[in-house]
Amino acid sequence: MSVLVVGSVAFDSIETPFGARREVVGGAATYFALAASCFAKVQVVGAVGEDFGPEHRAVLERRGIDLLGLERLAGRTFRWSGRYSYDLNSRETLDTQLGVFEKFDPRIPQPYREPRFLFLGNIDPVLQLSVLQQVKRPELVGCDTMNFWIEGKLEALKRTLAAVDMLVINDSEARELAREPNLVKAAAVIRALGPSTLIVKRGEFGAAAFGGAHPFAVPALLLDSVSDPTGAGDSFAGGLMGYLASRASDGPVDEAMLRRAIAMGSVLASFTVQSFGVEGLLDLTRERIDERYEEFRRLSHFHDA
Amino acid sequence: MSVLVVGSVAFDSIETPFGARREVVGGAATYFALAASCFAKVQVVGAVGEDFGPEHRAVLERRGIDLLGLERLAGRTFRWSGRYSYDLNSRETLDTQLGVFEKFDPRIPQPYREPRFLFLGNIDPVLQLSVLQQVKRPELVGCDTMNFWIEGKLEALKRTLAAVDMLVINDSEARELAREPNLVKAAAVIRALGPSTLIVKRGEFGAAAFGGAHPFAVPALLLDSVSDPTGAGDSFAGGLMGYLASRASDGPVDEAMLRRAIAMGSVLASFTVQSFGVEGLLDLTRERIDERYEEFRRLSHFHDA
């Protein structure tokens, strides 16, 4: 089963206390697609500039990712550069150049118009809705957003949320969207806006999910070396959606399946942060993923008192 | 099996967005003792002033806590007052009056001198070591500390750490003590100072532990109502040590037992934060604790991929 993702493809320049990379292939859709590709076929809808050459496309194509929907427009590819603090818990954006991304108006190619799994990356909610209008209603629609849209396009965002099944956002953004500091109450507010499932990303503290009969929460894997947190959240979402797509033949997504998918998302994010940029995702095998999944279960399980 | 705790007993004045309390019985040893009393007999060594009357002692005595070691000194009881931010994630200390706590020099009464489980609350590390010198070496010595001692009495703290089995501290303080932002590396540095087990308190994000063959991490319970975070960490430590003491007849503490104890500590902390001050601990039954423990397992477990 395949996953369709719509979002940014970019050149990132990253500085952390452990090193730096200049203009490497990044962007939310890139991390998502590479992580999801460990489990399922992935189709990408995005826009790049004339400076995005075959060597850049190859980063994704080598993992079997379908780039039919990656438009090449006149101009330059979206560029982001940022620097992380000594403990990696905060970052400063040094420069953002939207380039062709400013004019991005996603067009879904004919062969992509009946996706069973669709993920609307963190772009203008008006564009997210436009994507939904171009496809047959998928089995599962996931969606990301951020404070910029919560603060600047709340009404459009609410229209998008009314049409999706699952929102995957950061802890602080969930509280901001709901205007409610308590996460459990915030989850109820957000689910009333549309998405039956809310998944909350908590960075180095893991993730939480609301939607089944019982809430779910996991810590993050404890890693003795973290090089670069860029793309962790997008890798998490990609691992999660990719895993769900790979299990689609098992029937509708139930609570146990969603929990396993969140754990898989956590595993994929852990590989991302151990290396720079997307490097940690490029050579992943299912065997290494499954090993780390077992490590994650060992990390967090306890038994009868 | 009983637990001996040495630490502060205080009058707390607390303001949160959900209410306020004036001069209620608090202090680290109080929260610890009340939480531990759900599982085991508890003995308290501390100091209070002449203003600490029978009605205040009764808060602890009603839970069967032994106050033979609670000295009554000339002067006033330690007073702390603080105010929490709207999301409860930060607090401002409004006033601290040490009172008799300034002269506190713990003397262990004769009947307490062979404790099997000892917890050294967050006091001057010189006093923590003095306590250890007054007792027969316990089976398990736990210890708390804070940035004030890390910054002001590091050499004394290192002497204490060299003599304890388990350090229970906040996430940021673990990193500060080790001078290492990565928690896994910080844990190795701290364990090399003495304690074979490090338990890291992460507030609303749960806890982590290093010491067994595998690291351990849990989220915190997700609560739809948090009234007052005061004493959460001390309740966590009390639940943990009390549970271990209650299972002492099962043999030495192994990894599985430690995990269950950390989960029990998390459960006790969750009851504390749902009410003001110590109120959430006063009427706890083992049945309610065990129910919430099962809820905690449901919260955080996932299965084979």
Side-chain angles (χ1 to χ4, degrees):
Chain A
M1 198 52 52
S2 67
V3 181
L4 171 61
V5 58
V6 182
S8 61
V9 176
F11 287 132
D12 289 344
S13 295
I14 303 159
E15 290 175 45
T16 87
F18 309 107
R21 293 291 185 278
R22 290 279 308 157
E23 303 213 337
V24 292
V25 177
T30 300
Y31 284 98
F32 181 100
L34 288 169
S37 74
C38 297
F39 304 101
K41 293 291 288 177
V42 185
Q43 302 162 329
V44 176
V45 168
V48 293
E50 292 153 321
D51 50 2
F52 200 89
E55 73 276 28
H56 304 121
R57 291 175 65 91
V59 170
L60 292 146
E61 286 170 337
R62 259 188 236 116
R63 298 290 296 188
I65 295 164
D66 178 343
L67 298 184
L68 174 65
L70 187 65
E71 282 186 279
R72 195 150 177 261
L73 303 177
R76 275 159 57 92
T77 300
F78 178 25
R79 279 169 167 74
W80 174 82
S81 72
R83 183 190 293 142
Y84 289 85
S85 64
Y86 86 107
D87 66 356
L88 301 175
N89 277 330
S90 64
R91 79 177 182 195
E92 182 190 356
T93 289
L94 300 174
D95 191 30
T96 303
Q97 297 176 25
L98 286 177
V100 299
F101 201 59
E102 196 164 14
K103 296 166 287 184
F104 180 48
D105 184 11
R107 282 177 298 183
I108 310 302
Q110 192 61 49
Y112 288 9
R113 292 197 185 163
E114 296 191 12
R116 280 184 59 187
F117 291 81
L118 169 63
F119 193 76
L120 303 167
N122 174 19
I123 58 174
D124 186 331
V126 173
L127 301 183
Q128 291 178 320
L129 203 56
S130 137
V131 169
L132 273 177
Q133 287 159 349
Q134 295 175 57
V135 297
K136 179 160 176 277
R137 180 61 166 86
E139 202 169 299
L140 181 73
V141 180
C143 171
D144 189 3
T145 193
M146 71 186 294
N147 54 355
F148 184 75
W149 308 119
I150 295 169
E151 289 153 21
K153 290 219 175 173
L154 186 59
E155 289 314 308
L157 178 58
K158 284 184 176 172
R159 284 190 291 277
T160 298
L161 292 178
V164 308
D165 304 302
M166 180 190 289
L167 178 65
V168 185
I169 55 175
N170 290 335
D171 193 300
S172 63
E173 287 161 350
R175 298 175 205 235
E176 183 178 352
L177 174 58
R179 298 175 190 245
E180 165 58 58
N182 178 285
L183 189 63
V184 177
K185 287 183 182 155
V189 171
I190 291 169
R191 293 175 63 207
L193 294 174
S196 58
T197 301
L198 171 69
I199 296 178
V200 178
K201 298 179 285 185
R202 311 175 109 182
E204 71 164 326
F205 297 117
F210 301 87
H214 304 287
F216 178 54
V218 278
L221 281 122
L222 292 170
L223 303 169
D224 63 3
S225 151
V226 176
S227 297
D228 172 16
T230 309
D234 303 312
S235 306
F236 171 85
L240 188 162
M241 290 285 292
Y243 180 75
L244 289 178
S246 76
R247 300 295 295 268
S249 60
D250 298 3
V253 175
D254 63 8
E255 194 174 334
M257 180 69 75
L258 184 66
R259 287 176 172 227
R260 290 191 287 264
I262 289 167
M264 276 300 184
S266 305
V267 164
L268 271 288
S270 78
F271 284 114
T272 292
V273 303
Q274 285 187 304
S275 302
F276 274 87
V278 298
E279 292 164 19
L281 297 174
L282 299 181
D283 302 310
L284 273 185
T285 59
R286 187 61 197 261
E287 190 184 353
R288 285 179 62 211
I289 291 169
D290 289 344
E291 267 172 30
R292 189 163 291 185
Y293 182 96
E294 278 312 304
E295 192 187 314
F296 193 30
R297 289 225 300 155
R298 272 202 307 274
L299 174 74
S300 58
H301 279 208
F302 55 94
H303 297 289
D304 289 341
Chain B
M1 197 54 53
S2 67
V3 181
L4 172 60
V5 58
V6 183
S8 61
V9 176
F11 288 131
D12 288 345
S13 296
I14 303 159
E15 289 174 46
T16 87
F18 308 107
R21 293 292 185 278
R22 291 280 307 157
E23 303 214 336
V24 291
V25 177
T30 300
Y31 285 98
F32 181 99
L34 288 169
S37 74
C38 297
F39 303 100
K41 295 288 290 176
V42 185
Q43 303 163 330
V44 176
V45 168
V48 292
E50 292 152 321
D51 50 3
F52 200 89
E55 72 277 27
H56 304 120
R57 292 175 65 93
V59 170
L60 292 146
E61 286 170 336
R62 260 188 235 116
R63 298 289 296 188
I65 295 163
D66 179 342
L67 298 184
L68 174 67
L70 187 65
E71 281 186 281
R72 196 151 178 261
L73 303 177
R76 274 159 59 91
T77 300
F78 178 25
R79 279 170 168 74
W80 174 82
S81 72
R83 184 190 292 143
Y84 288 84
S85 65
Y86 87 106
D87 66 356
L88 302 174
N89 277 331
S90 65
R91 79 177 181 195
E92 182 190 355
T93 289
L94 299 175
D95 191 30
T96 303
Q97 297 176 25
L98 286 177
V100 299
F101 201 60
E102 197 164 15
K103 295 166 289 185
F104 180 48
D105 185 10
R107 283 176 298 183
I108 309 303
Q110 192 61 49
Y112 289 9
R113 292 198 185 161
E114 296 193 11
R116 280 182 61 186
F117 292 80
L118 168 63
F119 193 76
L120 304 168
N122 174 17
I123 57 174
D124 186 331
V126 173
L127 300 183
Q128 291 177 321
L129 202 57
S130 137
V131 169
L132 272 177
Q133 287 159 349
Q134 295 175 57
V135 298
K136 180 161 175 279
R137 180 61 165 86
E139 203 168 298
L140 182 74
V141 180
C143 171
D144 189 2
T145 194
M146 70 186 294
N147 54 355
F148 185 75
W149 308 119
I150 295 168
E151 290 154 21
K153 290 219 174 173
L154 186 59
E155 289 314 308
L157 178 58
K158 284 185 176 172
R159 283 191 291 276
T160 297
L161 292 178
V164 308
D165 305 300
M166 180 190 289
L167 177 65
V168 185
I169 56 175
N170 291 335
D171 192 300
S172 63
E173 287 161 350
R175 298 174 204 237
E176 183 178 353
L177 174 58
R179 297 173 190 247
E180 166 58 57
N182 179 285
L183 189 63
V184 177
K185 286 183 182 155
V189 170
I190 290 169
R191 293 174 63 207
L193 295 173
S196 58
T197 301
L198 171 68
I199 296 176
V200 178
K201 298 179 286 186
R202 311 175 109 182
E204 70 164 326
F205 297 116
F210 302 87
H214 304 288
F216 178 54
V218 278
L221 282 121
L222 292 170
L223 303 169
D224 63 4
S225 150
V226 176
S227 297
D228 172 17
T230 309
D234 303 312
S235 306
F236 171 85
L240 188 163
M241 289 287 290
Y243 180 75
L244 290 178
S246 76
R247 301 294 295 267
S249 60
D250 298 2
V253 176
D254 63 9
E255 195 174 333
M257 179 70 74
L258 183 66
R259 288 175 171 227
R260 289 191 288 263
I262 289 167
M264 277 299 185
S266 305
V267 164
L268 271 288
S270 78
F271 284 114
T272 293
V273 303
Q274 285 187 305
S275 302
F276 274 86
V278 298
E279 292 164 20
L281 298 174
L282 299 182
D283 302 310
L284 274 184
T285 59
R286 186 61 196 262
E287 190 184 352
R288 285 179 63 210
I289 292 169
D290 289 344
E291 267 171 30
R292 189 162 290 185
Y293 182 96
E294 277 312 304
E295 191 187 316
F296 193 32
R297 288 225 300 157
R298 273 201 308 274
L299 174 75
S300 58
H301 280 207
F302 54 94
H303 297 289
D304 289 343

